[in-house]
Amino acid sequence: MTLEQLSALPPAELAAQFERCCGARRWVRMMCMGRPFRSLEALHEASDRASDSLTPTDWREAFTHHPRIGDVAALREKFATTSVWAGAEQAGAAAASEATLHALAQGNREYEQRFGYLFIVCATGRSADEMLSMLSMRLGNAASEEFTIAIEEQRKIMRLRLDKMIEKGTS
């Protein structure tokens, strides 16, 4: 999709496209109000402005739009399948061992109990073992530090997805 096509979408379709990048309703509304987008840089700037206005509640809402890493079957399916949006993000985890998948599932449960939201990581270019290592390290963070890290990871994901939407289309 081009920037011109994105900017011309009817409001509901535009909102649906942006929701694929970030599930926070406030961010989606602000992005919809920011059109037309004259350049990719302008799109990124609009995203940054919208992101800067998000409250902790908004960020938590965004986090809920990521799949829950909860059981081995779901992990195996998640890492074995590809899609236009998530394929490149999780390609490094496709060859994960069962032990790694079990450890990720357990670590994510611990993370969610400790911090109250899903483990958020920009998985692009990372193997399952790398994500497990990051998860293990981040479990030791203070809650405020971890929330800041999760927000930055969410921002990376949003930028990548905006770029994919423009570069590769959304179908």
Side-chain angles (χ1 to χ4, degrees), residues 68-71 75 99-120 132-141 143 146:
R68 173 172 273 116
I69 298 174
D71 62 58
L75 282 167
T100 298
L101 294 176
H102 282 284
L104 274 170
Q106 178 59 37
N108 192 65
R109 285 189 293 273
E110 291 172 25
Y111 183 98
E112 195 167 348
Q113 286 177 335
R114 176 157 164 56
F115 297 113
Y117 51 89
L118 299 173
F119 175 62
I120 304 296
L132 178 58
S133 177
M134 292 177 75
L135 172 58
S136 297
M137 288 185 339
R138 287 173 53 187
L139 274 167
N141 289 337
E146 183 53 32

Side-chain angles (χ1 to χ4, degrees), residues 56-124:
T57 300
D58 296 322
W59 285 114
R60 289 184 196 292
E61 179 184 23
F63 299 165
T64 66
H65 285 258
H66 291 275
R68 173 172 273 116
I69 298 174
D71 62 58
V72 174
L75 282 167
R76 178 57 72 198
E77 180 179 333
K78 177 181 175 187
F79 290 145
T81 60
T82 59
S83 69
V84 172
W85 286 75
E89 293 171 10
Q90 299 173 358
S97 70
E98 288 298 316
T100 298
L101 294 176
H102 282 284
L104 274 170
Q106 178 59 37
N108 192 65
R109 285 189 293 273
E110 291 172 25
Y111 183 98
E112 195 167 348
Q113 286 177 335
R114 176 157 164 56
F115 297 113
Y117 51 89
L118 299 173
F119 175 62
I120 304 296
V121 63
C122 183
T124 301

Side-chain angles (χ1 to χ4, degrees), residues 59 63 120 146-156:
W59 285 114
F63 299 165
I120 304 296
E146 183 53 32
F147 194 66
T148 299
I149 292 169
I151 288 170
E152 288 310 309
E153 292 295 310
Q154 176 69 38
R155 283 177 176 258
K156 290 176 194 174

